[in-house]
Amino acid sequence: MPYANGRSYLPQDFISTNIPAGHDTIWGWAAKWSPQDLPAKIDPAKAFAEEISELMKKSAAGGYSVVAVDAPAALRAFGATKIPAFETQLLYMMSRS
Protein backbone atom coordinates (compact mmCIF):
# COMPACT_ATOMS: atom_id res chain seq x y z
CA MET A 1 0.00 0.00 0.00
CA PRO A 2 1.14 3.54 -0.58
CA TYR A 3 2.80 5.25 2.33
CA ALA A 4 4.28 8.55 3.42
CA ASN A 5 5.91 9.69 6.61
CA GLY A 6 5.63 6.15 7.94
CA ARG A 7 1.86 5.98 7.43
CA SER A 8 0.20 3.40 5.20
CA TYR A 9 -2.83 4.36 3.14
CA LEU A 10 -5.63 2.15 1.89
CA PRO A 11 -7.11 2.63 -1.60
CA GLN A 12 -10.27 4.19 -0.12
CA ASP A 13 -8.11 6.96 1.38
CA PHE A 14 -7.63 8.25 -2.19
CA ILE A 15 -11.33 8.51 -3.04
CA SER A 16 -12.84 11.99 -2.83
CA THR A 17 -16.40 12.48 -1.69
CA ASN A 18 -19.11 14.71 -3.14
CA ILE A 19 -17.96 14.29 -6.74
CA PRO A 20 -20.51 15.26 -9.40
CA ALA A 21 -22.09 12.38 -11.29
CA GLY A 22 -20.07 11.28 -14.29
CA HIS A 23 -16.75 12.55 -12.86
CA ASP A 24 -13.88 11.13 -10.84
CA THR A 25 -10.36 12.10 -9.87
CA ILE A 26 -7.37 10.26 -11.23
CA TRP A 27 -6.61 9.22 -7.64
CA GLY A 28 -10.11 7.85 -7.10
CA TRP A 29 -10.14 6.12 -10.49
CA ALA A 30 -6.86 4.37 -9.70
CA ALA A 31 -8.03 3.42 -6.20
CA LYS A 32 -11.21 1.83 -7.58
CA TRP A 33 -10.00 0.21 -10.79
CA SER A 34 -6.24 -0.31 -10.47
CA PRO A 35 -4.98 0.22 -6.91
CA GLN A 36 -1.64 -1.26 -7.92
CA ASP A 37 -1.08 1.97 -9.91
CA LEU A 38 -1.24 4.18 -6.80
CA PRO A 39 2.25 5.53 -6.12
CA ALA A 40 4.17 3.62 -3.47
CA LYS A 41 5.46 6.88 -2.01
CA ILE A 42 3.08 9.80 -2.04
CA ASP A 43 4.31 13.12 -3.35
CA PRO A 44 1.15 15.03 -4.29
CA ALA A 45 3.13 17.56 -6.31
CA LYS A 46 4.53 14.85 -8.57
CA ALA A 47 2.28 11.79 -8.46
CA PHE A 48 0.11 11.58 -11.57
CA ALA A 49 1.36 15.04 -12.64
CA GLU A 50 1.93 13.97 -16.25
CA GLU A 51 -1.41 12.19 -16.44
CA ILE A 52 -3.28 15.15 -14.95
CA SER A 53 -1.59 17.52 -17.42
CA GLU A 54 -2.57 15.27 -20.32
CA LEU A 55 -6.15 14.95 -19.01
CA MET A 56 -6.42 18.74 -18.71
CA LYS A 57 -5.28 19.17 -22.33
CA LYS A 58 -7.62 16.46 -23.63
CA SER A 59 -10.52 17.88 -21.62
CA ALA A 60 -10.00 21.33 -23.13
CA ALA A 61 -9.54 19.99 -26.65
CA GLY A 62 -12.51 17.62 -26.48
CA GLY A 63 -14.94 19.82 -24.59
CA TYR A 64 -14.96 17.62 -21.49
CA SER A 65 -15.73 19.25 -18.16
CA VAL A 66 -13.29 19.42 -15.28
CA VAL A 67 -14.45 20.32 -11.78
CA ALA A 68 -12.53 21.05 -8.61
CA VAL A 69 -13.44 18.71 -5.75
CA ASP A 70 -12.27 18.23 -2.20
CA ALA A 71 -9.03 16.30 -1.97
CA PRO A 72 -9.26 12.81 -0.45
CA ALA A 73 -7.90 12.11 3.04
CA ALA A 74 -4.53 10.83 1.80
CA LEU A 75 -3.84 14.07 -0.07
CA ARG A 76 -5.27 16.37 2.60
CA ALA A 77 -2.58 14.97 4.88
CA PHE A 78 -0.11 16.80 2.59
CA GLY A 79 -2.00 20.06 2.46
CA ALA A 80 -3.97 19.54 -0.75
CA THR A 81 -7.48 20.95 -0.52
CA LYS A 82 -8.86 20.75 -4.07
CA ILE A 83 -8.00 18.47 -6.96
CA PRO A 84 -9.46 18.13 -10.47
CA ALA A 85 -12.18 15.62 -11.28
CA PHE A 86 -12.53 14.61 -14.91
CA GLU A 87 -15.39 13.10 -16.87
CA THR A 88 -15.28 9.34 -16.36
CA GLN A 89 -15.62 8.80 -20.11
CA LEU A 90 -12.26 10.51 -20.59
CA LEU A 91 -10.67 8.63 -17.68
CA TYR A 92 -11.89 5.36 -19.21
CA MET A 93 -10.47 6.25 -22.63
CA MET A 94 -7.13 7.23 -21.09
CA SER A 95 -6.94 3.99 -19.10
CA ARG A 96 -7.35 1.99 -22.28
CA SER A 97 -4.59 3.78 -24.22
Side-chain angles (χ1 to χ4, degrees):
M1 283 297 101
Y3 69 95
N5 299 332
R7 178 171 178 207
S8 293
Y9 291 95
L10 300 173
Q12 60 264 30
D13 296 331
F14 293 92
I15 299 173
S16 293
T17 58
N18 299 321
I19 296 180
H23 290 77
D24 205 348
T25 68
I26 194 164
W27 293 92
W29 185 268
K32 294 171 194 166
W33 302 107
S34 57
Q36 70 277 4
D37 291 336
L38 290 170
K41 290 187 177 182
I42 301 168
D43 181 347
K46 295 179 183 175
F48 292 128
E50 288 181 37
E51 293 88 345
I52 289 171
S53 177
E54 187 173 345
L55 283 163
M56 293 297 277
K57 289 175 188 172
K58 288 188 178 208
S59 291
Y64 295 98
S65 65
V66 179
V67 294
V69 299
D70 292 335
L75 299 183
R76 284 194 315 265
F78 292 92
T81 57
K82 297 285 185 182
I83 60 173
F86 303 94
E87 287 191 35
T88 53
Q89 177 182 358
L90 183 59
L91 288 166
Y92 178 78
M93 289 188 297
M94 289 279 296
S95 70
R96 297 294 177 224
S97 60

